[in-house]
Amino acid sequence: MSPTPPPAGAPRFDLPEIDAFTRPYWDATAEGRLLIRRCGGCGRAHHYPREFCPYCWSENVAWEAASGAASLYTWSVVHRNDLPPFGTRVPYTAAVVDLAEGPRMMTELIEVPESGPRVGMRLGVAFRAAGAGEAAEGGVPVVPVFRPVLA
């Protein structure tokens, strides 16, 4: 039995609040590019986007294009989620990945091989409209997800 889709106008828990600061990040994902922030003070990269460096507190941070390469740090297959619209998407694989540039990022793993995910698996970024197959129009952001890279 499939979960019932949430009623029209129901609160959504999968859409970020986009503001003037995060707009460059979401504009880039809509173009199929992943951005991170890098500190001009200590040189470390971080994700999620912040206006200051979480390591040295410098405000000298800038957007930088990420390669999209990552490795799988950990994952969990979600079989039940009552928050709209996640309940209509189960099962899905929630994951934490280590980006090649250093930051760790929460995401979703897609196109999981039959053998299953494994720690250290090489991944590449892909992009999907938020909200299970909705078009990326009308303010619905495009989110980065990751898929295994075939060797």
Side-chain angles (χ1 to χ4, degrees), residues 29 32 34 68 107-108 110-111 123-128 142-147:
T29 62
L34 179 63
T107 187
E108 182 177 343
I110 62 170
E111 300 173 16
L123 305 170
V125 72
F127 297 89
R128 176 187 73 214
V142 174
V143 297
V145 295
F146 284 79
R147 65 168 56 111

Side-chain angles (χ1 to χ4, degrees), residues 13-151:
F13 297 95
D14 62 329
L15 301 178
E17 290 187 29
I18 299 172
D19 59 22
F21 172 70
T22 61
R23 172 70 53 200
Y25 178 83
W26 296 111
D27 287 348
T29 62
E31 297 169 359
R33 297 180 302 117
L34 179 63
L35 297 181
I36 56 174
R37 302 277 285 172
R38 184 165 305 271
C39 179
C42 70
R44 293 179 73 179
H46 61 272
H47 183 82
Y48 66 92
R50 295 172 211 152
E51 296 185 54
F52 61 89
C53 175
Y55 303 106
C56 74
W57 301 99
S58 171
E59 293 181 7
N60 181 17
V61 291
W63 294 106
E64 173 182 304
S67 67
S71 62
L72 185 58
Y73 176 74
T74 191
W75 76 94
S76 178
V77 178
V78 178
H79 293 277
R80 182 176 174 100
N81 187 333
D82 295 330
L83 295 176
F86 297 105
T88 60
R89 295 178 44 212
V90 294
Y92 61 90
T93 305
V96 177
V97 301
D98 288 326
L99 299 177
E101 294 77 13
R104 196 164 273 166
M105 176 180 176
M106 292 180 65
T107 187
E108 182 177 343
L109 188 60
I110 62 170
E111 300 173 16
V112 179
E114 237 179 80
S115 60
R118 68 182 190 293
V119 170
M121 174 184 278
R122 288 182 39 215
L123 305 170
V125 72
F127 297 89
R128 176 187 73 214
E134 296 177 38
E137 49 191 73
V140 176
V142 174
V143 297
V145 295
F146 284 79
R147 65 168 56 111
V149 173
L150 304 174

